[in-house]
Amino acid sequence: GQNIDQPTEMTATEGAIVQINCTYQTSGFNGLFWYQQHAGEAPTFLSYNVLDGLEEKGRFSSFLSRSKGYSYLLLKELQMKDSASYLCAAMDSNYQLIWGAGTKLIIKP
Amino acid sequence: GAVVSQHPSWVICKSGTSVKIECRSLDFQATTMFWYRQFPKQSLMLMATSNEGSKATYEQGVEKDKFLINHASLTLSTLTVTSAHPEDSSFYICSASWGEVGEQYFGPGTRLTVT
């Protein structure tokens, strides 16, 4: 079956760095997406990886290892506004997104 | 760019009535639109995928006669919840994309409460 695993909740300190891991098992693979979702709002796109390696975009970076079925989202210089849920989603061979349950990130001062 | 709107943003209706939710891509033509439902503290659950001019593809367990989806144009899709019940109360979110490997741009969501 198809499956996405990510931690349910993480806590970090303002100004620090946090890494949110995601492992996936899908029928075929057409890329890995990360979305940010604040409470009561719809998700917003953060990143897309289809090749192995690290993609950096400002304070956020995303890494992919296709051979390991593994990705992580790295958030640097954490700000209070980064408190949100982070959703990992893998696209299968039918171009359908398989969603993880999300990781709730709590930022403390 | 890539803005998706939803209307209404929230709605309260009585049990047994029907509610229509609109999803519009404002600045691009969406070849595919997706409808999701999200219960509190849970992840997105894909309900159906629709392509302009064709019938929607529903996920297993989603009643197509209860959740009517119409994708009349490349910029508009509607979801009608028919004969709503309290258990249909949820956050309904649409998204739109173009091409096969594309980002999904999400609408702001519609919070439905059925009393």
Side-chain angles (χ1 to χ4, degrees), chain A residues 30 33 35 37 39-45 48 87 91 95-97 99-102 104, chain B residues 34 36 38 42-44 46 49 59 91 93 100-109 111:
Chain A
N30 278 303
F33 293 80
Y35 284 83
Q37 185 178 25
E41 298 180 10
T44 55
F45 170 80
Y48 170 65
L87 308 176
M91 184 171 277
Y95 300 99
Q96 179 167 319
L97 282 180
W99 292 88
K104 183 178 180 181
Chain B
F34 305 84
Y36 293 87
Q38 187 176 36
Q42 295 186 23
S43 189
L44 300 171
L46 180 65
T49 303
E59 295 300 300
F91 191 43
I93 310 172
E100 287 181 327
V101 186
E103 303 164 17
Q104 289 187 26
Y105 295 93
F106 286 84
R111 191 161 301 283

Side-chain angles (χ1 to χ4, degrees), chain A residues 25-75:
Chain A
Q25 290 178 304
T26 55
S27 300
F29 180 74
N30 278 303
L32 194 291
F33 293 80
W34 284 95
Y35 284 83
Q36 179 191 59
Q37 185 178 25
H38 285 100
E41 298 180 10
T44 55
F45 170 80
L46 288 178
S47 68
Y48 170 65
N49 294 64
V50 67
L51 299 176
D52 285 352
L54 186 69
E55 296 271 348
E56 297 186 72
K57 193 184 293 185
R59 294 189 298 115
F60 292 8
S61 302
S62 56
F63 172 84
L64 176 68
S65 169
R66 294 178 65 140
S67 61
K68 295 181 179 179
Y70 167 70
S71 173
Y72 68 72
L73 180 69
L74 189 72
L75 292 77

Side-chain angles (χ1 to χ4, degrees), chain B residues 7-8 10-22 63-69 78-86 88-89 92 110-115:
Chain B
H7 177 80
W10 60 270
V11 58
I12 302 173
C13 70
K14 292 186 177 180
S15 187
T17 61
S18 295
V19 174
K20 180 185 283 188
I21 303 169
E22 289 188 352
E63 300 174 56
K64 58 182 66 177
D65 293 331
K66 180 172 179 61
F67 298 99
L68 302 179
I69 292 173
T78 61
L79 167 68
T80 301
V81 182
T82 62
S83 187
H85 291 285
D88 297 326
S89 298
Y92 291 86
T110 297
R111 191 161 301 283
L112 170 64
T113 302
V114 184
T115 61

